């Protein structure tokens, strides 16, 4: 294997070797598109460089000389030649896109001699010297770490001295003087020299790009996006074309579809007479691409054709960089474009409709986490109408967020660590700001367009973002922002609407749930291929309705204890718990039964024929009793007993270890009347709903915390008897099931015995994890951060299924349960039922459904389908 390949030289090379940019440049060259010539140094070279103790590029030398020679032949120019100088860009290009995180050098090849050659060749000395001073600046920054602001300050000082506003107002003499000043800055920064040898420039630039793989912002980006740090970056060396050349020249960035909404059609921005970084860095605010149609119609059409060709070729929305040099169009880069969550769904559906991709491909391109993005908040409409609008910018990334404003990333981070919600406000952002951007509720910039750094990064993170608030001036020194005669000081609270681009003073209330029609379409495709169903854990009518709206195919867990909260209900519950005589308990239970019937009727009618799994009372009774004396005294009065007596009865129920104490089905062994009341409430509600709504209701009654086959058999018999007596007495018929949670390790070990009487199983992974690890689910916060810091536990096991331990018990339970009953219905209703990473495991386990909270249902449907691809 070689380390260096000319574009399109070897068809077998992939992103892994060439990096995304290099592979795409090669592919575009093969497609016959106007791509400036160049070559790619592979990621293997970067790995070799970084691994060697001395970090030198000697091993590349022969191939580099050959590659440069071929490039010189192709371009009819030579590196370092004073008459026909070849100028190149040296760019990073990782296997997985990391926009703006690593380094790039443009205009390499200029020195005191070749700049004269370039001036003569182009007949434009100003342009040539401008290129040269840009090179010195970039080279200093990238190779020697001389901060950009040092160069910017020298440029500003010169403009102030000359009393001009724009760079282009400087004269040729000014530029030459600036170049000398810049060279002086090298010396001042550490006795460096700007190398006049172009060979040395090239080698140092390549090394700097290799090294930039390890810079802190690239490392942060990789950590956030789970990108393997061992891959290394490729380096692309490519002939420069000039968007800042005379005449019809310019540069731009465009997408084949709108990356914020997914709307089809070219979307992008460009600047005439500018180099690429001016657009990407947001230094000047560019024109929308539609304007190019009017300005340079022929080029616009040519670009549109290329864009369509690229999208059709890659079968996905493309993000392209282009440059126009003296009327000639070049495509510098194409890659699959980053997009917001709503855009991702719309594009996936549109591409299927257009026949470009099939449904499984569309599903595979979406991420479960994107769905949270779709359910992004909006501000309440009425609050927006009354709010004080401050400014409007470009809506770069949707969402609605409120926070205190900070003008630098570090301050924002400190405020965040102190518990504040922050909005990062900057003139423009740069990759160094990444740590501050990650923790911000929203990002606002005064400059830059929809493709600026801030916009791209925020969209990728799903963070609310507004860019290009032109009127806004940020005074970093005074730590305040000015606009239209107003001042906003650091710490002021603002609200940012990423859907409209508007900023408001103060905090605005939010509404949730943006309706996305394409989401429904994709999820219906998912249900067709998913290996198991997605149900929901819900108890209030509101939650149940939301769950079905989000496509839950059943209710996997209705926790009945949640129905006993609320002032009136808890009183009846307390009355029941504290009763010392069965007769008193029966009175309280009768009242509770009425309340339960109201709830169950609503749930059964909302569920229609979908399965509903109602779990009988689970928590230790002590949890329902008042802990403070005021409430205890009130309860004593209401029950007509003394405070001392109340305290005694409460103390009587206290347990040393309640989660392993008198809870779950154990309650029913002591107080069978509680579960008897609950099953009758279920049966009566089901019968009533069947009569009123004319649809079948088949309740699944679920017992919590079963650990032995005898418990299961005893309680099933008891409850069956109660139900059947009722049905016989009332001459009614109802199909129902009585099954169990599997949430005690012992239940997994004897699942064959339990399955003899259980009609179904549902894994309660919260308790199962708790008891398998011996980690209290309520106290894990005290020690889990230490485990994670020490690398002892990669993921929190209550949120991410522990496949090795808890999963092994589940496997055993499934195997043993189905040994007894081959068609035993089995689900997962603990928190990890919605864990996207566990879906392939569930598929292999052969379960029938997972059940999770309503808002996780859509992402679980997507993840379930993806496990099948
Ligand atoms: C479980 O233990 O996983 C479960 C679903 O029940 P709960 O969280 O109510 O204990
Ligand atoms: Mg449980």
């Amino acid at each position: 294997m070689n380390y260096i390949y000319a574009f399109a030289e070897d068809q077998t090379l992939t992103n892994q070797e060439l990096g995304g940019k290099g592979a795409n440049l090669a592919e575009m060259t093969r497609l016959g598109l106007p791509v400036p010539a160049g070559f790619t140094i592979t990621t293997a070279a970067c790995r070799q460089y970084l691994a060697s103790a001395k970090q030198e590029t000697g091993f590349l030398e022969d191939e580099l000389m050959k590659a440069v020679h071929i490039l010189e032949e192709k371009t009819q120019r030579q590196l370092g030649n004073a008459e026909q100088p070849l100028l190149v860009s040296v760019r990073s290009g990782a296997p997985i896109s990391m926009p703006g995180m690593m380094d790039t050098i443009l205009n390499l090849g200029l020195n005191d001699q070749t700049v004269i050659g370039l001036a003569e060749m182009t007949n434009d000395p100003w342009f040539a010297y401008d290129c040269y001073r840009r090179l010195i600046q970039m080279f200093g920054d990238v190779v020697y770490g001389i901060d950009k602001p040092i160069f910017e300050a020298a440029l500003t000082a010169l403009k102030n001295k000359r009393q001009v506003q724009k760079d282009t107002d400087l004269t040729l003499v000014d530029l030459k003087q600036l170049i000398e000043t810049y060279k002086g800055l090298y010396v001042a920064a550490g006795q460096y020299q700007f190398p006049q040898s172009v060979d040395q420039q090239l080698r140092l630039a390549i090394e700097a790009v290799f090294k930039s793989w390890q810079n802190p912002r690239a490392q942060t980006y990789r950590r956030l996006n789970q990108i393997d740090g061992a891959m290394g970056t490729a380096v692309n060396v490519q002939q420069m074309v000039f968007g800042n050349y005379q005449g019809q020249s310019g540069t731009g960035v465009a997408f084949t579809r709108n990356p914020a909404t997914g709307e089809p059609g070219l979307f992008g921005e460009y600047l005439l007479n500018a180099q690429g970084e001016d657009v990407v860095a947001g230094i000047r605010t560019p024109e929308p691409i539609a304007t190019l149609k009017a300005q340079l119609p022929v080029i616009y059409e040519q670009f549109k054709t290329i864009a369509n060709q690229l999208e059709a070729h890659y079968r996905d929305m493309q993000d392209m960089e282009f440059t126009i040099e003296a009327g000639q169009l070049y495509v510098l880069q194409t890659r699959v474009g980053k997009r917001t969550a709503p855009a991702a769904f719309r594009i996936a559906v549109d591409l299927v409709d257009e026949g470009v991709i099939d449904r499984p491909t569309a599903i595979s391109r979406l991420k479960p986490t994107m769905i949270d993005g779709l359910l992004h908040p909006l501000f309440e409409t009425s609050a927006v109408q009354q709010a004080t609008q401050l400014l409007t910018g470009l809506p770069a990334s949707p969402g609605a967020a409120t926070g205190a404003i900070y003008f630098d990333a570090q301050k924002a981070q400190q405020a965040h660590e102190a518990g504040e919600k922050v909005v990062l406000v900057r003139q423009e952002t740069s990759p160094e700001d990444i740590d501050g951007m990650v923790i911000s509720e929203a990002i606002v910039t005064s400059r830059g367009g929809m493709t600026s750094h801030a916009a791209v990064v925020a969209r990728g993170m799903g963070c609310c973002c507004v860019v290009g608030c032109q009127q806004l001036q940020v005074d970093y020194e005074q730590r305040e922002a000015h606009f239209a005669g107003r001042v906003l000081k650091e710490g002021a609270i603002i609200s940012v609407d990423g859907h409209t681009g508007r900023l408001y003073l103060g905090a605005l209330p939010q509404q949730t749930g943006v309706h996305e029609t394409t989401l429904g379409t994709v999820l219906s495709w998912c249900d067709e291929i998913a290996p198991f169903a997605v149900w929901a854990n819900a108890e209030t009518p509101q939650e149940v309705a939301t769950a079905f709206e989000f496509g839950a195919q059943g209710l996997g867990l209705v926790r009945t204890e949640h129905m006993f909260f609320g002032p009136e209900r808890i009183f009846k519950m307390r009355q029941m718990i504290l009763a010392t005589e069965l007769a008193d308990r029966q009175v309280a239970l009768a009242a509770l039964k009425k309340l339960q019937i109201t709830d169950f009727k609503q749930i059964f009618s909302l569920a229609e024929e979908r399965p509903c799994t109602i779990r009988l009372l689970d928590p230790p009774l002590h949890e329902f009793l008042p802990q403070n004396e005021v409430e205890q005294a009130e309860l004593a009065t209401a029950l007509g007993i003394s405070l001392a007596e109340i305290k005694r009865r409460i103390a009587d129920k206290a347990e040393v270890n309640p989660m392993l104490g008198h809870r779950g089905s154990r309650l029913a062994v002591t107080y069978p009347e509680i579960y008897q009341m609950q099953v009758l409430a279920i049966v009566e509600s089901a019968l009533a709903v069947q009569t009123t709504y004319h649809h079948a209701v088949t309740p699944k009654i679920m017992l919590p915390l079963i650990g032995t086959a005898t418990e299961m058999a005893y309680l099933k018999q008891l409850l069956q008897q109660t139900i059947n007596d009722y049905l016989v007495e009332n001459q009614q018929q109802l199909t129902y099931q009585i099954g169990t949670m599997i949430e005690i390790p012992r239940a997994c070990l004897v699942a064959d015995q339990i399955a003899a009487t259980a009609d179904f199983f549902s894994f309660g992974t919260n308790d199962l994890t708790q008891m398998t690890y011996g980690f209290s689910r309520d106290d894990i916060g005290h020690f889990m951060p230490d485990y994670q810091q020490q690398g002892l536990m990669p993921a929190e096991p209550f949120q991410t299924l522990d496949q090795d331990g808890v999963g092994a018990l589940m496997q055993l339970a499934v195997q043993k349960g189905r040994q007894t009953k081959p068609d035993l219905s089995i689900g997962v209703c603990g928190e990890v039922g919605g864990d996207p990473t566990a879906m392939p495991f569930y598929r292999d386990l052969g379960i029938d459904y997972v059940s999770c909270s309503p808002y996780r249902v859509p992402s679980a449907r997507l993840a379930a389908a993806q496990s099948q691809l």
Side-chain angles (χ1 to χ4, degrees):
M1 279 302 270
N2 291 345
Y3 285 118
I4 302 183
Y5 295 89
F7 295 163
E9 184 183 329
D10 184 337
Q11 304 231 9
T12 64
L13 298 172
T14 65
N15 286 28
Q16 282 305 318
E17 293 96 28
L18 297 178
K21 191 178 289 176
N24 285 345
L25 285 168
E27 188 72 357
M28 288 197 294
T29 307
R30 271 195 290 277
L31 289 173
L33 300 182
V35 177
F39 56 85
T40 303
I41 307 174
T42 62
T43 54
C46 176
R47 291 194 293 272
Q48 164 85 16
Y49 173 82
L50 292 176
S52 69
K54 280 211 191 127
Q55 301 211 329
E56 50 187 37
T57 49
F59 68 100
L60 280 176
E61 200 50 40
D62 291 348
E63 282 190 56
L64 187 59
M65 273 165 56
K66 224 167 82 192
V68 168
H69 184 68
I70 295 170
L71 183 60
E72 288 175 338
E73 301 247 290
K74 249 188 219 155
T75 57
Q76 296 291 301
R77 303 203 180 148
Q78 274 119 41
L79 263 188
N81 183 306
E83 266 99 61
Q84 293 286 322
L86 169 66
L87 305 193
V88 293
S89 61
V90 180
R91 292 170 193 260
S92 58
I96 295 171
S97 161
M98 298 170 47
M101 296 300 139
M102 286 175 297
D103 289 328
T104 282
I105 294 183
L106 305 176
N107 302 323
L108 190 137
L110 284 173
N111 60 20
D112 292 351
Q113 255 63 54
T114 56
V115 70
I116 301 169
L118 181 68
E120 281 174 7
M121 196 166 86
T122 58
N123 202 18
D124 188 351
W126 196 96
F127 157 74
Y129 281 87
D130 188 45
C131 288
Y132 191 25
R133 72 106 193 147
R134 283 167 189 262
L135 168 66
I136 300 174
Q137 174 168 341
M138 259 193 174
F139 197 92
D141 175 27
V142 171
V143 175
Y144 295 119
I146 308 169
D147 288 343
K148 246 184 269 176
I150 297 179
F151 293 102
E152 291 289 346
L155 174 63
T156 308
L158 183 63
K159 284 197 285 190
N160 288 345
K161 200 163 155 198
R162 298 283 178 266
Q163 297 190 327
V164 296
Q165 295 280 324
K166 293 187 272 176
D167 300 0
T168 44
D169 293 334
L170 292 172
T171 65
L172 181 60
V173 175
D174 292 336
L175 284 180
K176 287 181 177 171
Q177 184 186 328
L178 188 61
I179 285 165
E180 292 314 310
T181 311
Y182 275 8
K183 286 182 188 165
L185 294 176
Y186 274 58
V187 180
Q191 295 299 312
Y192 300 118
Q193 292 285 341
F194 174 73
Q196 288 296 315
S197 152
V198 294
D199 289 339
Q200 204 189 346
Q201 285 177 16
L202 183 60
R203 278 149 191 79
L204 288 172
I206 292 169
E207 284 177 24
V209 176
F210 282 159
K211 278 190 205 137
S212 72
W213 175 254
Q214 301 289 33
N215 76 31
R217 60 178 193 257
Q219 294 193 29
T220 300
Y221 189 89
R222 285 200 293 270
R223 184 166 38 79
L224 286 174
N225 294 281
Q226 283 114 38
I227 298 174
D228 177 8
M231 288 188 291
T233 180
V235 181
N236 298 294
V237 177
Q238 188 177 25
Q239 183 191 7
M240 284 295 299
V241 287
F242 296 99
N244 53 346
Y245 201 81
Q246 281 178 318
Q248 294 185 338
S249 295
T251 187
V253 179
F255 297 84
T256 51
R257 294 167 198 252
N258 184 320
T261 64
E263 196 183 329
L266 261 193
F267 178 89
E269 295 157 333
Y270 73 102
L271 275 170
L272 287 187
N273 208 356
Q275 278 204 344
E277 52 159 337
D278 295 345
V279 179
V280 179
I283 290 166
R284 281 163 58 190
T285 301
E287 301 278 347
I289 196 103
T291 316
L292 186 67
K293 193 173 181 179
Q295 267 181 331
L296 303 172
V298 176
I299 287 184
Y300 176 83
E301 285 308 322
Q302 193 190 349
F303 181 63
K304 205 168 128 185
T305 309
I306 291 174
N308 289 340
Q309 194 182 344
L310 284 170
E311 187 181 274
H313 181 75
Y314 287 104
R315 303 190 306 131
D316 201 355
M317 185 263 259
Q318 296 295 297
D319 165 359
M320 302 153 296
E321 280 180 25
F322 64 93
T323 286
I324 308 157
E325 183 189 84
Q328 165 76 42
L329 174 68
Y330 292 96
V331 187
L332 301 186
Q333 177 176 327
T334 192
R335 62 184 170 200
V336 169
K338 293 209 183 299
R339 60 205 76 180
T340 62
F345 278 80
R346 168 138 191 213
I347 291 169
V349 170
D350 284 352
L351 289 177
V352 170
D353 287 349
E354 291 163 26
V356 179
I357 56 173
D358 57 15
R359 290 178 181 182
T361 307
I363 291 171
S364 71
R365 285 182 183 173
L366 301 164
K367 292 199 196 107
T369 48
M370 286 176 170
I371 293 180
D372 305 333
L374 283 191
L375 311 173
H376 264 322
L378 288 165
F379 289 126
E380 276 178 15
T381 322
S382 57
V384 167
Q385 280 158 0
Q386 286 156 25
T388 311
Q389 190 181 323
L390 298 172
L391 285 160
T392 307
L394 303 171
S397 181
T402 296
I405 57 172
Y406 284 89
F407 302 111
D408 76 65
Q410 225 180 349
K411 279 250 162 57
Q413 246 181 310
Q414 284 160 2
H416 168 78
E417 274 154 26
E420 260 192 294
K421 288 194 182 310
V422 304
V423 172
L424 182 65
V425 177
R426 307 235 351 125
Q427 230 146 51
E428 72 257 9
T429 63
S430 71
E432 288 94 295
D433 298 326
I434 183 87
D435 287 328
M437 296 169 81
V438 171
I439 51 81
S440 295
E441 304 297 314
I443 298 160
V444 174
T445 68
S446 55
R447 295 189 195 152
M450 297 287 277
T451 52
S452 63
H453 177 263
V456 172
V457 173
R459 268 201 297 277
M461 298 191 304
C463 174
C464 172
C465 178
V466 172
V467 298
C469 299
Q470 304 271 10
Q471 292 171 291
L472 188 71
Q473 280 185 339
V474 181
D475 184 339
Y476 292 119
E477 287 259 292
Q478 297 297 318
R479 310 223 301 259
E480 54 192 26
H482 300 248
F483 63 96
R486 279 185 94 127
V487 180
L488 278 180
K489 297 223 175 272
E490 181 178 275
I493 303 291
I494 67 165
S495 293
V496 182
D497 189 337
H499 301 278
T500 60
R502 299 199 179 105
L503 311 188
Y504 301 94
L505 192 61
L508 298 190
Q510 296 176 351
Q511 68 184 51
T512 45
V514 186
H515 188 64
E516 234 328 299
T517 49
T518 54
L519 174 62
T521 308
V522 172
L523 294 181
S524 68
W525 299 342
C526 288
D527 293 346
E528 282 166 18
I529 61 168
F532 45 81
V534 178
W535 296 5
N537 300 349
E539 24 296 315
T540 66
Q542 174 64 45
E543 279 174 3
V544 171
T546 307
F548 293 142
E549 215 172 282
F550 286 157
Q553 293 168 44
L555 296 178
L557 178 62
V558 178
R559 291 175 163 108
T560 49
E561 59 271 14
H562 287 207
M563 299 169 166
F564 295 123
F565 296 123
E568 188 207 353
R569 295 178 170 213
I570 196 131
F571 174 68
K572 296 273 184 286
M573 191 67 183
R574 286 169 176 173
Q575 199 175 15
M576 188 274 290
I577 295 168
L578 295 175
T580 45
E581 303 295 326
L582 179 62
D584 288 346
R585 188 167 313 116
Q586 295 287 20
V587 171
L589 281 169
L592 286 171
K593 185 177 166 197
K594 271 196 190 151
L595 298 171
Q596 294 248 278
I597 288 177
T598 319
D599 294 335
F600 292 145
K601 278 190 191 165
Q602 284 191 30
I603 291 173
F604 291 145
S605 61
L606 284 166
E608 298 174 345
E609 298 207 348
R610 297 180 189 92
C612 294
T613 316
I614 316 278
R615 186 185 66 190
L616 304 183
L617 195 67
D618 180 39
L621 296 181
H622 193 257
E623 271 190 15
F624 292 94
L625 299 176
Q627 301 307 314
N628 71 58
E629 205 170 291
V630 178
E631 277 190 81
Q632 289 172 351
E634 277 171 16
L635 186 62
T637 312
L639 294 179
I641 50 178
S642 69
L643 177 61
E645 175 61 12
I646 279 282
K647 285 190 168 179
R648 198 191 57 73
R649 291 189 196 177
I650 292 176
D652 205 35
K653 295 266 178 285
E655 291 179 301
V656 174
N657 209 340
M659 284 309 268
L660 297 177
H662 202 180
R663 59 170 285 222
S665 292
R666 295 160 205 170
L667 290 171
V669 172
T670 312
Y671 310 110
E673 58 278 8
I674 299 179
Y675 279 16
Q676 284 174 313
M677 174 280 282
Q678 289 199 290
V679 294
L680 286 178
I682 293 169
V683 168
E684 288 177 38
S685 309
L687 291 170
V689 169
Q690 285 198 148
T691 311
T692 317
Y693 296 98
H694 306 290
H695 59 71
V697 179
T698 311
K700 289 166 77 95
I701 297 165
M702 183 153 73
L703 301 176
L705 227 67
I706 289 287
T708 71
T710 48
E711 268 175 331
M712 180 69 221
Y714 167 74
L715 287 175
K716 184 171 181 199
Q717 205 279 329
L718 174 83
L719 299 176
Q720 226 169 9
Q721 186 70 53
T722 308
I723 295 171
N724 290 350
D725 287 351
Y726 176 87
L727 292 174
V728 170
E729 198 176 308
N730 292 277
Q731 296 181 346
Q732 297 272 13
Q733 287 193 330
L734 183 77
T735 313
Y736 63 89
Q737 295 180 341
I738 299 181
T740 179
M741 308 270 298
I742 298 288
E743 53 183 347
I744 293 182
R746 188 178 192 283
C748 297
L749 303 172
V750 299
D752 49 342
Q753 300 170 17
I754 293 176
T757 44
D759 293 331
F760 62 88
F761 281 180
S762 176
F763 287 107
T765 50
N766 303 335
D767 275 306
L768 190 57
T769 304
Q770 170 164 264
M771 290 183 233
T772 302
Y773 271 107
F775 283 166
S776 159
R777 58 198 264 193
D778 302 307
D779 302 307
I780 193 166
H782 294 301
F783 51 87
M784 191 47 57
D786 299 328
Y787 270 71
Q788 295 194 319
Q789 209 171 7
Q790 299 296 333
L792 301 179
M793 189 142 311
E796 210 270 55
F798 290 98
Q799 287 175 33
T800 306
L801 175 69
D802 160 40
Q803 298 182 14
D804 294 346
V806 176
L809 281 170
M810 293 167 83
Q811 271 164 338
L812 188 68
V814 170
Q815 181 233 317
K816 286 192 159 240
R818 294 224 171 110
Q819 198 176 300
T820 304
K821 275 193 185 143
D823 55 358
L824 184 70
S825 155
I826 303 180
V828 177
C829 69
E831 193 57 32
V832 298
D835 169 19
T837 65
M839 299 297 170
F841 180 82
Y842 297 147
R843 179 204 55 208
D844 295 344
L845 203 56
I847 56 163
D848 300 290
Y849 66 90
V850 293
S851 188
C852 54
S853 59
Y855 272 87
R856 297 185 79 189
V857 166
S859 57
R861 288 167 72 194
L862 175 59
Q866 289 180 334
S867 76
Q868 193 68 356
L869 296 176

